[in-house]
Amino acid sequence: MIVTQYVSELRRLRSELSPPVGLVPTMGFLHEGHLALVRQSQEECAATVVSLFVNPTQFAPTEDLTNYPRDAERDMRLLEEAGVDLVFAPQAEEMYANDHETWVMVDRLARRLEGATRPTHFQGVATVVAALFHIVEPQRAYFGQKDAQQVLVIDRMIRDLHFPVELRVADTVREPDGVAMSSRNTYLSPDERQAAPVLRRSLDLAERLWQDGGRDAEQIRKAMVEAIEAEPLARLDYVSITDARTLDEIHMIDRKALVSLAVRIGRTRLIDNAVLPPGEPLLTGGSPCS
Ligand code: AMP
């Protein structure tokens, strides 16, 4: 495994890899969710590049950039054990010049859900992913459904800017009690960690109601809100049922829907989601392959 923090060196090393090359963008502090993306890339591609970069522009000034968990040594060990070919771990200055002023802005999709309270988040995500696509030139890129809105934003960007990259989406990897794996789970105290399964429980409830024929989005939403409010340590940010393609709120679940929620447990904000009908892929058709 070769590791570099420099764009020019990455480009040189990348040019020696045989296609198809898979890219797995991450912010490090790796867990099984990240490693599942790596394995999928390795199964589908001749070479796998992983980026480790805590992207400052996707954090608002009030968010956890400086405290975001980091353990580069452990990350490198896990990637080496996984058999990754190339790791790109740049410093912020390598990705963003002092006078950086170019942004990739996905408009409507990025203003929904997470974007409502984090207005600059997806601009930061789309910009860094576009830069990584230009630097690594992967044929495929691997993202987790855990961040479903991110998947839709990147899919839109790939189509709108004609990136020759196929977007591949992996299922959310969960702890045995249903909690979606996340680097941010390390912020939870033992009591808070015990409360965290409430997100998956409320999504299970939505799936059950849908299986029983429930199609009234407001009724399902209400049931989910009650489930979350029953957990004393949880403070609901939003529960939303939207068209899975446009992220427009829907009243009747008469098409593929995305149920998403954000919940604060103590000072940690957790997100999770499920697609209805259960088991349907988030993206249909996927992004165009090169
Ligand atoms: P992050 O390091 O949090 O930016 O995540 C990097 C990639 O891993 C993103 O595409 C995430 O959606 C994905 N990811 C994070 N958590 C999980 C999980 N529990 N299961 C599957 N993919 C995940």
Side-chain angles (χ1 to χ4, degrees):
M1 183 174 87
I2 305 179
V3 181
T4 179
Q5 47 178 323
Y6 302 110
V7 171
S8 55
E9 196 181 356
L10 188 285
R11 285 208 160 108
R12 187 178 57 71
L13 295 162
R14 157 67 182 92
S15 68
E16 290 162 14
L17 298 176
S18 1
V21 169
L23 169 66
V24 183
T26 81
M27 298 207 297
F29 209 72
L30 302 177
H31 51 67
E32 253 322 294
H34 298 114
L35 296 175
L37 297 179
V38 168
R39 282 193 294 272
Q40 191 179 341
S41 170
Q42 288 173 317
E43 277 162 25
E44 298 178 354
C45 300
T48 294
V49 180
V50 175
S51 61
L52 298 175
F53 180 56
V54 183
N55 174 37
T57 64
Q58 69 190 69
F59 290 77
T62 51
E63 290 176 355
D64 53 347
L65 172 62
T66 41
N67 296 327
Y68 194 83
R70 292 165 170 87
D71 189 343
E73 231 172 83
R74 179 173 166 278
D75 288 347
M76 295 306 171
R77 201 176 61 241
L78 290 171
L79 295 176
E80 174 101 61
E81 282 167 12
V84 164
D85 299 276
L86 189 50
V87 175
F88 181 46
Q91 298 295 312
E93 309 79 62
E94 184 72 0
M95 293 299 284
Y96 296 103
N98 277 337
D99 51 356
H100 172 99
E101 53 177 313
T102 305
W103 300 101
V104 177
M105 206 185 80
V106 177
D107 196 11
R108 201 185 44 79
L109 275 177
R111 283 190 266 116
R112 306 283 149 111
L113 304 176
E114 287 297 285
T117 48
R118 310 175 72 194
T120 57
H121 173 68
F122 288 111
Q123 175 177 311
V125 170
T127 302
V128 82
V129 171
L132 288 170
F133 283 177
H134 283 305
I135 294 165
V136 179
E137 297 186 356
Q139 274 76 34
R140 299 194 179 114
Y142 292 81
F143 288 85
Q145 193 194 303
K146 158 82 178 15
D147 300 285
Q149 188 176 10
Q150 172 169 278
V151 165
L152 295 179
V153 165
I154 299 301
D155 178 55
R156 192 68 257 158
M157 179 191 83
I158 286 175
R159 289 166 190 274
D160 289 350
L161 299 183
H162 305 278
F163 278 99
V165 177
E166 182 187 358
L167 177 52
R168 307 284 291 136
V169 183
D171 286 345
T172 302
V173 178
R174 297 176 183 281
E175 301 284 357
D177 63 0
V179 172
M181 290 196 179
S182 164
S183 310
R184 289 189 166 99
N185 290 349
T186 52
Y187 296 148
L188 298 168
S189 71
D191 281 356
E192 291 167 353
R193 177 62 188 76
Q194 294 248 306
V198 73
L199 280 85
R200 183 60 238 180
R201 263 204 315 278
S202 72
L203 291 168
D204 283 343
L205 178 61
E207 288 187 1
R208 259 199 324 276
L209 291 169
W210 188 92
Q211 303 277 23
D212 292 345
R215 295 293 182 270
D216 181 333
E218 192 46 34
Q219 259 177 23
I220 294 182
R221 228 184 58 81
K222 267 199 188 129
M224 292 178 70
V225 170
E226 276 169 26
I228 289 156
E229 286 175 346
E231 170 50 65
L233 293 186
R235 212 153 31 85
L236 180 65
D237 206 339
Y238 65 81
V239 171
S240 168
I241 302 181
T242 58
D243 179 303
R245 199 173 46 84
T246 62
L247 297 185
D248 290 335
E249 295 287 332
I250 52 178
H251 301 295
M252 281 300 290
I253 309 178
D254 52 4
R255 66 204 95 162
K256 187 159 73 175
L258 180 69
V259 185
S260 15
L261 73 167
V263 173
R264 282 180 201 279
I265 299 188
R267 282 159 40 166
T268 309
R269 188 169 177 281
L270 301 177
I271 59 169
D272 205 342
N273 67 80
V275 172
L276 296 177
E280 279 278 307
L282 177 61
L283 290 182
T284 9
S287 303
C289 190
S290 56

